[in-house]
């Protein structure tokens, strides 16, 4: 007997994209830089906070690509500096978060070396749709 995957379960029709989403999520953001927090800010609000010390607002970009929030950082390294010790990381990074349907980016702000990205979840609409049942005779007469 073979075990059914989540996306192939007979009661979950149309969720085959879900397994690909889980795989994509597992591949992104495996490294620990930059560190981040995710907190709930209200009934339907979330905040992602990344520690981006040393990055200016112009060094950061935030994009939404196919329900995936992607935050990139690229710092400008001044060539004239000579470091005796360099313990502050200033390397490029890309951090991705997959957003569920109904989760929207409300805005982003920078404060004390922390990048805050605010998210809001909108309540899904309950739609009730009545499907008309036709008989074989109805289908044949509509084809003529």
């Amino acid at each position: 007997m073979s075990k059914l995957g989540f996306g192939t379960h007979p009661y979950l029709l149309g969720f085959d994209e879900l397994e690909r989403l889980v795989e994509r999520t597992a591949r992104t953001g495996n490294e620990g830089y930059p560190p981040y927090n995710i907190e709930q800010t209200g009934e339907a609000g979330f905040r992602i906070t990344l520690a981006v010390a040393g990055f200016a607002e112009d060094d950061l970009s935030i994009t939404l690509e196919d329900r995936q929030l992607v935050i990139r950082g690229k710092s400008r390294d001044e060539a004239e500096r000579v470091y005796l010790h360099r313990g502050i990381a200033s390397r490029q990074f890309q951090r991705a978060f997959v957003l569920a349907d109904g989760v929207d980016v409300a805005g982003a702000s920078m404060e004390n070396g922390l990048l805050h990205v605010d998210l809001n979840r909108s309540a899904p609409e309950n739609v009730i749709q009545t499907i008309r049942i036709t008989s074989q005779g109805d289908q044949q007469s509509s084809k003529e």
Side-chain angles (χ1 to χ4, degrees), residues 71-111:
I71 303 169
R72 294 180 180 94
K74 184 174 184 177
S75 66
R76 291 178 232 125
D77 196 20
E78 295 105 29
E80 68 271 1
R81 288 189 175 184
V82 177
Y83 292 96
L84 301 177
H85 171 76
R86 187 163 187 180
I88 300 172
S90 63
R91 61 183 184 262
Q92 299 184 70
F93 71 86
Q94 176 175 313
R95 179 68 75 178
F97 302 90
V98 178
L99 304 181
D101 288 336
V103 175
D104 298 311
V105 178
S109 62
M110 190 88 154
E111 175 186 10

Side-chain angles (χ1 to χ4, degrees), residues 24 28-29 31 33-36 48-76 90-97 108-110 114-117:
R24 185 174 69 177
T28 60
E31 68 177 63
Y33 181 76
Y36 66 94
I48 299 171
T49 301
L50 282 84
V52 291
F55 287 88
E57 289 179 32
D58 294 340
D59 300 333
L60 301 169
S61 71
I62 303 170
T63 57
L64 191 58
E65 304 167 8
D66 190 28
R67 303 304 312 157
Q68 188 169 15
L69 177 69
V70 180
I71 303 169
R72 294 180 180 94
K74 184 174 184 177
S75 66
R76 291 178 232 125
S90 63
R91 61 183 184 262
Q92 299 184 70
F93 71 86
Q94 176 175 313
R95 179 68 75 178
F97 302 90
S109 62
M110 190 88 154
L114 298 174
L115 174 65
H116 303 289
V117 180

Side-chain angles (χ1 to χ4, degrees), residues 19-33:
E19 281 191 88
R20 282 180 279 207
L21 180 68
V22 170
E23 288 174 11
R24 185 174 69 177
T25 304
R27 276 183 293 201
T28 60
N30 286 338
E31 68 177 63
Y33 181 76

